[in-house]
Amino acid sequence: MAVLNEPGFPVADAPAGAIDALARGLEGMETTWLRAQDLGGTLTPERFDVLVTPCGSAFPKEIWPVLVRWLEAAGHWVNLGGVPCAVPVERDANGGGWRVLPRDDTYSRQLGIVLACAVPTDAVRNWSANEALPWAAPLAADVTAPNVWEPYWRFSSVADRPDEPGSSGAREATVQALVTGLDARGTAVVAPYLLVSRLEGRFAGGRWVFAAGDGPVPAPAIHALVEAAGAPDWELTVWPSSACFREGEPRSVAVALRGFPRGAAARISATCALEISDARGEVQDTAEVTVSGTEASATGTADVGDRLEPGMYRIRATLTAPGKPPVELRHSTGFWVWDDDLLAAGAPLVPGPHAFTRGGEPYPVTGTTYMASDVHRKFLQQPDPWLWDRDFDAMKAAGVNLVRTGIWTGWKLLMRRVGEHDEGALRALDAWILTARRHDVPVIFTLFAFLPETWGGENPYLDPAAVEAQRAFVTLIARRYARMNDLVWDLINEPSFCNNSHLWSCRPNYDRFERAAWAAWLAQRRLPAADLPPLEDFAEGDAAPAHPTMVLEYRLFAQAMFARWVRTMRSALRDAGAGRQLVTVGQDEAGTRDSPNNLLLAPALDFSCNHTWWLNDALAWDGVITKAPGRANLVEETGVMFAAHPPGAELRWEAYARDLLERKMAMALGPGGAGFVEWVWNSNCYMPSDNEAAIGLLRADGTAKPELEALRGVAAFAAAAQPHLAGWEAERVLLVVPHSNMFSTQNTATDATRRAVRAMLYGCRMGLAAVSELATSSAPGAAHLVLVPSPRVLRAPAWASLRAWARRGVTVLVTGPLDQAEQLGRKVRRREGPPAAAVVRLRVGRGAILWCPEPVELAPDPAATVELYGWALRQARLAPTFTVEGADDATLVHAARYGDADLYTIVAERSAVSVRVRPVDSRAVLEVAVPAGRAALRLVSRRGGAVIASYDPA
């Protein structure tokens, strides 16, 4: 082995004196100590099997090209301390020493490390060795690192299908924790020692072993790490001929042994012992498989379990791989025997106007997204039901009560063309669904993503051939699970309309089918014939487009055409027998702009969804603006997007992500009501995207991020509060979203509605609901005050609704200059020039329309908006149900009222607060301290003010 040894070389994220411990740890091993300048022509796999770099995150910048060549030649590597190659060091100009350069991820990112976070070990109660790896036991004996640097790995370089945004890539490596630190719950929270096996791609064949802590690495541990790096790298894989068998079908198991020999691969033969056990752990069958071939690839098969009853089964495989010394390998997988009774046994989810029930009881959703923790999005091609079952155990233990999955890529792998499908992938889906049913966890299954697959068609929504193929695909899947009660269909994840080059926005595709549908649309609306607006006409802001009216019309056309597609797919589900299963669309925040909009789409859905990703400063608006009247609105995806960060941010990233996720979950339960589905349970290191690879509750090595603890706490609160979340009282303030303005190319409605929601929730402490200007007939009847913030223009049906509401006694407040001010009545004239600040009051029936010609919501200072809204609330005889002391204007205090309890959500966005909340209908006083950036929850009895359930940040 070669050891980098530079006298006087600085260390980073590792203790001084590492060289002394290294010398003791390598006693008895053939070792060559090399200086950086000597590595160039010396470091080759022919001369050395392992390279050891002992200086933590620090490394001589000059060796980088040599190190890369070594790793590309399948060289094995041990790095002691910190983050490999994160702190470059260069020689002083005078050659007298070394100069430490700023931390730089340029190098470590080429190794697949997207980010590395320093995780304190103060929560660790004991250290546990990985029993499956023979070198791990000595490593757990004496771990003293105050911090462990946890890498976020990306082990895929190129997408399998570059034209599909949801595509993952090749499985280029795996990472295993040699040792994990367990907290008081027994959850693995850090991994001070890691083994990375490079399987494919640039570094194929290499074994990398890292001591990732900043504490001493004892000599026995160093010896074990070097042994682990130099050991033969074998991968034992076992899989049944089907992930889910039907009664009477033959059942076989295949075994594959893969190695990475240096030089020519010798012939080998080995025996693999198989043991088949049921869900209770009782052995039902055994077999032996002769595995033969070469060291690079050896295979064998055996028949098993021909008389097994319906249920789930585990396969345990044990094989001794040849070598000096021999290595015992173990692998477990599983399969199902179809269980029709289990499929139909679940209680359905029932959507209400605000949230869900299940089995007649409130069911606040505390969910996550999951496909598989080993191969992630390829779970239908490489299934492992036993692993899924373990993961469902862990998810249930964390408080997860719903799981979302689906197909984000590769639809043609399941259905090559209409009438040709992959039964193996569908059997894998059978097994996945039965695993969820075994744990009594409802499932949201997503059928398409971004744009539906066309199977060769020209337009994803309007080409009849494409739509017919989509119907066939939906039918193919839905027919298998028609008897399942707790299955929900998400037709498409984050849909756009309808240009593949402009996802998450609304742009024409300019194909013949769209042109024909557009012509028919214009004719139906008795508008002059015109071609589709060109892309340049969609420019926003001051660059005035040539045809703004046509852009607005196209956006209305897109909303209608997408809704038609939804009805078509829903009809396919119904025809396949899935008529009682719920249907939704998993829209993200693009739906608050010009993509398919919840407020307009709601009549075609059982409930709506929102994905809270980017609008972190407008979470309250995000929830209000996406909840349609009378429809539960589930935050179906939420998490924290990875973003570029300045040096040093890695020290704070995981705490920041935990805090932000906590706020999002609290907002989804409190003001939102229906709950949340976190994205995603386990980080997907096989997405060729730094962003995707960094998201998840569990790191790629299986250890938990702090975000998991936040989910556990919020989920425990929801479970305790659940019996009392019935009898929800609708909000009494209604926001009319001016979509004619919002869909225009000079949109001011987004800013106006955001500030309106914030002023009402944060300033006036009143909740509110929303309805579209284009669908005011769906407005709830509970509103006492209607806000129309700076619309500039409203369509005639909306004006008619405003007058009708006012006649019934509702107070209507309209702000800003109006292109159709005469609609307010003959007594009001359109004002020229700067509008006056006075509010014009018009009596209409038992109510009134109030017009403030100033667009107060667009003012830099929100104080005027809060003052105006407070006055309008008094005109409508409305007041908050509580008073609050100690909250600044960046603290949300919201009360959702239920039959016998109030749910308070307190979010401190800017600084730590200690608030005193006093419900007006009891003598209770809630004193709640919330750290900066965190959220707290209280469920308080309406009778006497007793706290029924609470959540406070840990």
Side-chain angles (χ1 to χ4, degrees):
M1 115 193 46
V3 182
L4 179 65
N5 180 24
E6 280 284 351
F9 192 81
V11 299
D13 309 318
I19 296 296
D20 295 335
L22 181 61
R24 294 193 302 274
L26 298 182
E27 288 180 0
M29 293 183 168
E30 186 177 339
T31 304
T32 301
W33 301 78
L34 296 172
R35 295 169 64 100
Q37 62 194 31
D38 300 325
L39 289 178
T42 305
L43 188 64
T44 64
E46 291 75 25
R47 295 192 60 182
F48 302 105
D49 55 351
V50 177
L51 169 68
V52 180
T53 51
C55 297
S57 301
F59 74 106
K61 183 178 176 181
E62 65 188 81
I63 77 163
W64 176 250
V66 178
L67 177 62
V68 170
R69 286 196 297 272
W70 164 262
L71 298 177
E72 289 177 335
H76 304 323
W77 179 26
V78 175
N79 188 78
L80 301 179
V83 186
C85 302
V87 179
V89 178
E90 66 181 11
R91 297 183 189 274
D92 284 341
N94 57 16
W98 296 92
R99 183 165 64 95
V100 178
L101 301 177
R103 184 176 289 270
D104 185 350
D105 64 4
T106 301
Y107 307 95
S108 56
R109 287 171 76 88
Q110 295 184 53
L111 306 174
I113 300 175
V114 171
L115 172 72
C117 302
V119 180
T121 61
D122 50 8
V124 174
R125 296 296 175 263
N126 63 287
W127 299 95
S128 175
N130 187 331
E131 296 179 354
L133 301 171
W135 317 278
L139 301 173
D142 190 18
V143 182
T144 58
N147 299 283
V148 170
W149 287 86
E150 278 283 358
Y152 291 7
W153 294 99
R154 179 168 63 78
F155 288 141
S156 191
S157 304
V158 180
D160 293 333
R161 300 170 192 83
D163 58 333
E164 295 180 7
S167 175
S168 57
R171 186 167 167 259
E172 295 176 0
T174 62
V175 58
Q176 299 178 76
L178 295 169
V179 172
T180 53
L182 309 181
D183 66 9
R185 293 178 180 267
T187 301
V189 292
V190 290
Y193 299 110
L194 297 173
L195 169 63
V196 176
S197 300
R198 304 296 315 203
L199 306 177
E200 298 180 18
R202 183 181 183 188
F203 304 119
R207 285 169 70 88
W208 304 350
V209 179
F210 300 141
D214 58 4
V217 183
I222 292 175
H223 191 93
L225 293 172
V226 174
E227 277 195 331
D233 206 346
W234 296 99
E235 185 182 40
L236 176 65
T237 307
V238 182
W239 66 96
S241 53
S242 176
C244 185
F245 295 101
R246 295 303 194 268
E247 185 177 355
E249 289 181 335
R251 297 156 192 172
S252 64
V253 173
V255 179
L257 179 63
R258 180 186 183 191
F260 297 89
R262 296 282 178 91
R267 298 289 304 179
I268 62 170
S269 180
T271 299
C272 182
L274 301 179
E275 182 181 89
I276 315 298
S277 56
D278 61 22
R280 299 182 299 275
E282 297 177 2
V283 177
Q284 300 295 319
D285 197 5
T286 60
E288 288 190 345
V289 181
T290 299
V291 177
S292 58
T294 70
E295 291 176 313
S297 176
T299 59
T301 61
D303 295 330
V304 298
D306 58 343
R307 295 177 180 170
L308 297 178
E309 299 293 324
M312 183 183 170
Y313 295 88
R314 176 182 178 182
I315 306 172
R316 288 185 177 92
T318 306
L319 181 148
T320 300
K324 298 180 180 180
V327 178
E328 185 177 80
L329 304 176
R330 301 185 188 96
H331 182 78
S332 289
T333 187
F335 63 87
W336 275 86
V337 176
W338 178 260
D339 190 335
D340 200 55
D341 292 338
L342 177 64
L343 183 78
L349 280 178
V350 178
H354 186 59
F356 297 93
T357 60
R358 190 174 188 231
E361 298 293 328
Y363 200 79
V365 173
T366 54
T368 190
T369 310
Y370 175 79
M371 295 160 209
S373 58
D374 55 349
V375 297
H376 301 273
R377 296 190 182 186
K378 295 181 179 178
F379 70 112
L380 298 182
Q381 286 73 48
Q382 301 173 47
D384 188 343
W386 178 74
L387 178 63
W388 302 341
D389 193 66
R390 283 195 308 166
D391 290 339
F392 268 90
D393 277 337
M395 290 186 285
K396 284 275 284 191
V400 169
N401 66 4
L402 179 145
V403 170
R404 181 179 180 227
T405 195
I407 308 170
W408 268 252
T409 181
W411 297 273
K412 289 182 179 178
L413 292 176
L414 272 78
M415 190 182 83
R416 290 177 286 276
R417 57 181 64 87
V418 175
E420 294 183 21
H421 65 271
D422 184 337
E423 182 63 19
L426 292 173
R427 292 292 185 94
L429 182 54
D430 292 345
W432 198 104
I433 291 290
L434 287 170
T435 304
R437 275 275 58 257
R438 168 172 146 77
H439 292 268
D440 194 31
V441 174
V443 173
I444 295 179
F445 190 87
T446 302
L447 289 160
F448 296 104
F450 313 122
L451 288 174
E453 173 61 56
T454 64
W455 279 274
E458 295 180 43
N459 188 291
Y461 299 112
L462 301 172
D463 182 344
V467 173
E468 187 56 37
Q470 293 156 10
R471 281 184 58 95
F473 180 77
V474 168
T475 300
L476 173 69
I477 296 177
R479 186 176 290 145
R480 301 177 82 93
Y481 312 114
R483 296 189 65 227
M484 187 173 172
N485 294 315
D486 49 355
L487 178 61
V488 177
W489 299 105
D490 177 350
L491 297 178
I492 183 167
N493 172 71
E494 300 179 0
S496 302
F497 192 97
C498 67
N499 189 317
N500 193 46
S501 300
H502 296 272
L503 293 180
W504 301 287
S505 61
C506 178
R507 297 294 184 273
N509 199 51
Y510 303 109
D511 59 81
R512 55 185 173 134
F513 298 102
E514 186 179 37
R515 282 194 159 92
W518 172 247
W521 169 266
L522 295 178
Q524 177 189 355
R525 291 167 65 83
R526 298 182 180 179
L527 295 173
D531 196 7
L532 292 162
L535 289 178
E536 55 267 25
D537 279 7
F538 289 82
E540 301 280 348
D542 295 333
H547 306 97
T549 303
M550 284 294 100
V551 170
L552 171 59
E553 196 63 36
Y554 180 81
R555 286 170 169 162
L556 297 176
F557 162 79
Q559 298 288 336
M561 294 300 103
F562 181 80
R564 187 179 76 177
W565 179 85
V566 167
R567 290 190 295 269
T568 301
M569 294 303 112
R570 182 168 188 147
S571 172
L573 289 168
R574 187 179 298 111
D575 293 345
R580 65 181 179 276
Q581 294 164 349
L582 304 181
V583 177
T584 190
V585 164
Q587 185 54 285
D588 73 334
E589 292 148 322
T592 67
R593 301 190 301 271
D594 59 356
S595 285
N597 185 282
N598 284 1
L599 300 184
L600 302 176
L601 190 60
L605 304 175
D606 293 303
F607 65 94
S608 60
C609 294
N610 185 31
H611 297 177
T612 54
W613 282 115
W614 293 107
L615 303 180
N616 300 329
D617 295 327
L619 290 174
W621 175 84
D622 207 355
V624 169
I625 210 77
T626 57
K627 184 184 186 312
R631 290 288 192 277
N633 189 42
L634 178 66
V635 176
E636 189 204 36
E637 260 189 43
T638 194
V640 182
M641 289 283 187
F642 174 76
H645 55 82
E650 60 272 7
L651 299 174
R652 305 184 299 274
W653 173 260
E654 291 201 329
Y656 164 81
R658 173 205 59 204
D659 297 354
L660 179 52
L661 179 63
E662 178 183 79
R663 299 199 302 270
K664 291 182 175 184
M665 293 186 298
M667 296 282 282
L669 278 175
F676 60 86
V677 180
E678 178 272 341
W679 178 280
V680 55
W681 177 253
N682 43 278
S683 304
N684 187 352
C685 56
Y686 302 121
M687 288 294 290
S689 158
D690 289 353
N691 179 41
E692 289 279 0
I695 305 171
L697 297 177
L698 304 183
R699 307 179 188 98
D701 62 20
T703 56
K705 299 179 186 177
E707 293 162 78
L708 178 59
E709 195 59 33
L711 181 140
R712 276 185 175 138
V714 175
F717 169 84
Q722 179 175 338
H724 303 273
L725 300 181
W728 170 74
E729 296 183 11
E731 308 287 8
R732 292 172 292 171
V733 179
L734 179 67
L735 174 75
V736 175
V737 180
H739 269 124
S740 293
N741 184 337
M742 190 174 282
F743 287 163
S744 75
T745 53
Q746 294 191 341
N747 167 23
T748 59
T750 295
D751 283 345
T753 54
R754 279 189 191 177
R755 296 179 188 187
V757 169
R758 191 168 187 91
M760 188 59 71
L761 276 169
Y762 288 71
C764 301
R765 310 294 179 190
M766 289 288 292
L768 67 168
V771 67
S772 171
E773 165 209 350
L774 305 174
T776 51
S777 60
S778 64
H784 291 194
L785 174 65
V786 172
L787 298 179
V788 190
S790 304
R792 194 175 62 199
V793 62
L794 285 173
R795 301 204 166 198
W799 283 115
S801 294
L802 296 182
R803 290 193 295 270
W805 294 335
R807 283 194 295 271
R808 294 201 302 264
V810 174
T811 299
V812 177
L813 174 63
V814 185
T815 61
L818 293 169
D819 290 348
Q820 298 161 305
E822 66 276 5
Q823 295 280 353
L824 291 171
R826 294 181 179 179
K827 296 181 181 178
V828 179
R829 295 181 180 178
R830 179 173 176 177
R831 299 175 183 269
E832 303 294 338
V839 174
V840 177
R841 178 194 297 269
L842 295 171
R843 285 288 179 191
V844 181
R846 292 185 289 115
I849 295 179
L850 312 175
W851 178 37
C852 173
E854 292 282 0
V856 292
E857 295 87 3
L858 301 179
D861 186 350
T865 306
V866 173
E867 182 179 357
L868 176 64
Y869 285 7
W871 175 80
L873 286 167
R874 292 190 292 274
Q875 303 305 302
R877 296 180 174 83
L878 287 178
T881 59
F882 62 91
T883 61
V884 61
E885 301 169 8
D888 58 24
D889 60 0
T891 300
L892 172 70
V893 182
H894 176 271
R897 293 176 67 84
Y898 292 89
D900 63 359
D902 292 339
L903 173 52
Y904 288 92
T905 305
I906 304 101
V907 179
E909 294 179 346
R910 185 168 56 208
S911 55
V913 296
S914 294
V915 300
R916 293 168 62 88
V917 181
R918 302 175 186 269
V920 298
D921 51 7
S922 79
R923 296 182 180 179
V925 178
L926 299 176
E927 297 189 358
V928 185
V930 186
R934 307 299 297 272
L937 296 161
R938 295 287 187 276
L939 184 71
V940 181
S941 171
R942 195 80 59 76
R943 299 175 183 174
V947 175
I948 300 169
S950 63
Y951 169 76
D952 292 291

